[in-house]
Amino acid sequence: MSPADYRIESSAPLAGLLLPRPGAREHLYYSSRSLAVAMAAKSTTPGQEIRVVHVPTGEVVFRKAGASRADGSEDF
């Protein structure tokens, strides 16, 4: 496998404690599918979907809905 077999992508900057530079990029590359999925699962992005894509085929192997406000409060 090449170093770029799996890509974590989102249309918004990614954030997470395990990311190299949180919020710095919208795409991160990994050689391991399990590592890419674990990193994507632990990451967040404001209201945007996070995907793990197998780069050679373009197949989406993992998908996570974006974080949203679920605390039930409303701003008036």
Side-chain angles (χ1 to χ4, degrees):
M1 282 195 268
S2 74
D5 280 339
Y6 294 92
R7 176 180 66 228
I8 299 175
E9 63 182 29
S10 178
S11 58
L14 297 166
L17 294 175
L18 301 175
L19 296 177
R21 290 181 44 197
R25 298 188 221 169
E26 289 85 26
H27 300 280
L28 297 169
Y29 294 90
Y30 294 91
S31 60
S32 165
R33 177 180 178 158
S34 58
L35 179 59
V37 169
M39 295 296 281
K42 293 290 186 179
S43 300
T44 61
T45 188
Q48 299 296 318
E49 181 180 71
I50 299 172
R51 297 168 298 282
V52 175
V53 177
H54 184 239
V55 174
T57 64
E59 176 188 7
V60 176
V61 297
F62 176 80
R63 192 177 300 246
K64 177 182 171 183
S68 63
R69 289 185 65 171
D71 61 357
S73 66
E74 295 183 29
D75 295 328
F76 291 101

